[in-house]
């Protein structure tokens, strides 16, 4: 049974300190696109994903592993990094390319949010693609829950907060207690207003506009799909792998 009084929503990586997550179950949300890409890579047979905070950490790991089994992946400001094997479009993560491989993954906000959550009790990765699987898992957690929205460079991102709102709506059966945390109330209220049409409202968001200029609509449409998989990515000992089939 989820304690809705203690559940909290942090709206960007700059909105909390690491010690606020200690002993908690954390769900990291980066709908556009890191979470959606991680889920897709695992769906398509990637063995594991190593999230890193920056290019320096990515290169250090890449120098010490064999390039047949590892791929260097990610983006800066939405664009594939020069010399990397893959960028951050979920469409790049096909079984042919990622099957059986371990991915060193470096993104502008998403992987930084995951790294900042490392001291917590459990860390799951959520997107609209796997929202019901995440909610089912949270119903079985005994720890307090924090939904960490990656946001964009310290600001909130609409699509991340909308997913946090979706999760709080379902967990509370649409009736949030009056003494719920402020962050939870804001996410819940956002979903109340915009949750009817996830695709259309996310298309109006700041990061969707940014991505449209760079790469068009396809990634946004893909990441707005709901419950296409029951995959539950979880970070353990520095690697994201599957907790289920
Ligand atoms: C991020 O980590 O900020 C994003 O995934 C950026 C992107 O859309 O590539």
């Amino acid at each position: 049974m989820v304690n809705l009084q203690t559940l909290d929503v942090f709206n960007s990586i700059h909105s909390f300190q690491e010690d606020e997550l200690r002993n908690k179950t954390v769900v990291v949300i980066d709908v556009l696109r890191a979470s959606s890409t991680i889920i897709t890579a695992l769906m398509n047979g990637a063995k594991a994903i190593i999230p890193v905070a920056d290019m320096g950490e990515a290169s250090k790991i890449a120098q010490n592993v064999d390039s047949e089994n590892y791929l260097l992946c990610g983006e800066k400001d939405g664009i594939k990094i020069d010399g990397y094997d893959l960028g951050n479009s979920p469409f790049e993560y096909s079984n042919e390319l990622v099957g059986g491989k371990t991915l060193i993954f470096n993104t502008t906000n998403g992987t930084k949010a995951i790294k900042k959550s490392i001291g917590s009790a459990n860390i799951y990765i959520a997107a609209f693609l796997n929202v019901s699987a995440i909610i089912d898992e949270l119903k079985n957690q005994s720890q307090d829950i924090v939904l960490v929205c990656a946001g964009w460079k310290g600001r909130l991102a609409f699509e991340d907060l909308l997913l946090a709102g979706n999760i709080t709506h379902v967990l509370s059966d649409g009736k949030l207690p009056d003494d719920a945390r402020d962050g939870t109330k804001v996410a819940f209220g956002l979903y109340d207003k915009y949750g009817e049409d996830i695709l259309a409202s996310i298309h109006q968001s700041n990061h969707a506009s940014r991505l449209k200029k760079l790469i068009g609509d396809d990634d946004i449409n893909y990441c707005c799909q709901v419950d296409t998989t029951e995959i539950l990515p979880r970070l353990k000992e520095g690697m994201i792998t599957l907790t289920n089939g």
Side-chain angles (χ1 to χ4, degrees), residues 30-37 74-80 87-89 105-112 150-153 159-160 207 210-211 214-215 219:
D30 186 359
V31 172
L32 296 176
R33 299 165 289 175
S35 298
S36 304
T37 299
E75 53 69 43
K76 184 158 170 31
D77 296 337
I79 300 165
K80 182 180 164 214
N88 190 24
S89 169
F105 196 45
N106 172 26
T107 73
T108 309
N109 306 281
T111 57
K112 290 179 179 55
W152 182 261
K153 299 186 178 179
E159 64 281 1
D160 296 343
H207 191 44
R210 221 176 274 128
L211 282 176
L214 292 173
I215 50 160
D219 284 18

Side-chain angles (χ1 to χ4, degrees), residues 5 23 26 35 43 81 89 98 100 106 113 129 163 176 220 242:
Q5 276 90 10
N23 301 322
V26 171
S35 298
M43 265 168 68
I81 299 167
S89 169
V98 303
N106 172 26
L129 301 176
L163 178 58
L176 204 59
I220 303 161
L242 288 181

Side-chain angles (χ1 to χ4, degrees), residues 158-202:
F158 173 88
E159 64 281 1
D160 296 343
L161 211 53
L162 191 67
L163 178 58
N166 188 351
I167 294 170
T168 59
H169 248 263
V170 178
L171 289 175
S172 66
D173 276 333
K175 294 180 281 298
L176 204 59
D178 290 341
D179 58 353
R181 313 279 306 171
D182 291 356
T184 308
K185 283 180 183 155
V186 170
F188 183 95
L190 190 79
Y191 187 77
D192 247 356
K193 180 155 171 63
Y194 294 104
E196 283 262 299
D197 196 341
I198 290 167
L199 181 67
S201 62
I202 290 183

Side-chain angles (χ1 to χ4, degrees), residues 112-169:
K112 290 179 179 55
I114 298 168
K115 292 290 283 187
K116 198 169 175 186
S117 305
I118 266 170
S120 58
N122 302 297
I123 304 175
Y124 295 98
I125 312 298
F128 281 103
L129 301 176
N130 70 342
V131 57
S132 291
I134 288 285
I135 291 168
D136 287 346
E137 184 71 9
L138 292 179
K139 286 179 183 162
N140 297 321
Q141 294 293 317
S142 50
Q143 289 90 0
D144 290 343
I145 295 168
V146 179
L147 309 181
V148 170
C149 298
W152 182 261
K153 299 186 178 179
R155 297 181 176 204
L156 71 80
F158 173 88
E159 64 281 1
D160 296 343
L161 211 53
L162 191 67
L163 178 58
N166 188 351
I167 294 170
T168 59
H169 248 263

